[in-house]
Amino acid sequence: METIKALFAPESGLLRWLGYLLVLAGLVYCGLALRALGLETLAQSLPPGAWIAALLAGLVYGGMLCLLAFGWWGMVHENEGCDPVVALAIYGPAVLAKYAPGSVFQYGSRQLNGALYGLSHKAMAKASLVEAGLHIPAALVSAAALYSGGGIFGLGILVAAGLALAGFAKPDWARAAGFQLAFFALFALAALLLCSVALPIADPGHASAMFLLAWVAGFLVPVAPGGIGVRETVLLALATPTEGTAAIAAFAILTRLATTTGDAVMGLAGYGVLLSRRSNRQASS
């Protein structure tokens, strides 16, 4: 037992290499996900502006993921200020790890990388569990705002309410809920704008609401890496009857491209911070 504890101690280096392995696996599956999108076929039917809009949405989405990182970090470090650099170093690589078979690997990645910074496994596991529980209501509230016709104005109210909650709420879980609400409202807004600008869809609000419901379905199926396949299937089933198969299939592909791009940006940024911190520690030793 002592030998096992010694192997998994932060100073042993094994945790670090396991974390790197998860990041590598995530990168591989990120590439496979992009390859499976069928870009060659759709490239002939969509204008270049649609692809540019999806990539720009992906960059914005990558930045938005910081909100989730800050909410998670706040639950690990109750009543303490957020260190955005460390939060990114731990949370970022985990975003890529969810593309390994079974998205639950993202939580294992956090445990491994968090241990390198001396974080308690119990505190991290608790924070991840609460975070997962908050995902669904935050996504459903944002979907309801779209479905009811609230549009940009309704989502803007949710973003403002979420940021206010994140900034002024006292319990750590309430602050995390605020970050989650702001994230999913912005996520819904990005989907709405992408749907409105890049695709010939009659009711972007309804289609974007169905997209969030499809995201929830993908999240609830942990064996699907990043919800791949599940999200697209549910979106087609929910939105095709009112919009037609071709338009919704294009929406599914563009949103997958955007989220995969954003995950890659966030993950590589976090991985870069990890490598930088490691180099600085070696230089100072």
Side-chain angles (χ1 to χ4, degrees), residues 106-142:
Q106 62 181 308
Y107 303 112
S109 174
R110 292 181 204 173
Q111 297 291 123
L112 292 172
N113 290 327
L116 299 176
Y117 287 90
L119 301 185
S120 162
H121 282 294
K122 181 178 180 180
M124 288 189 289
K126 178 183 176 182
S128 294
L129 183 62
V130 174
E131 179 197 62
L134 290 172
H135 276 347
I136 297 174
L140 292 179
V141 167
S142 299

Side-chain angles (χ1 to χ4, degrees), residues 38-64:
L39 301 182
E40 308 85 6
T41 303
L42 275 180
Q44 300 175 3
S45 60
L46 289 173
W51 300 106
I52 294 173
L55 290 174
L56 290 175
L59 295 176
V60 173
Y61 175 77
M64 286 159 41

Side-chain angles (χ1 to χ4, degrees), residues 15 18-19 22-23 65 68-69 71-73 75-76 86-98 103-121 123-133 135 180 219 266 274:
L15 284 176
L18 286 174
L22 281 176
V23 170
L65 287 169
L68 296 183
W72 179 82
W73 175 267
M75 289 188 288
V76 176
V86 176
L88 178 62
I90 298 171
Y91 202 96
V95 171
L96 285 177
K98 73 181 180 183
S103 58
V104 294
F105 280 103
Q106 62 181 308
Y107 303 112
S109 174
R110 292 181 204 173
Q111 297 291 123
L112 292 172
N113 290 327
L116 299 176
Y117 287 90
L119 301 185
S120 162
H121 282 294
M124 288 189 289
K126 178 183 176 182
S128 294
L129 183 62
V130 174
E131 179 197 62
H135 276 347
Q180 295 248 358
F219 175 73
M266 176 67 162
L274 276 177

Side-chain angles (χ1 to χ4, degrees), residues 228-262:
I228 291 175
V230 176
R231 184 201 301 174
E232 289 75 16
T233 300
V234 173
L235 177 59
L236 285 167
L238 293 176
T240 293
T242 57
E243 296 292 344
T245 303
I248 297 303
F251 186 36
I253 296 297
L254 291 180
T255 49
R256 173 60 68 179
L257 175 60
T259 55
T260 304
T261 299

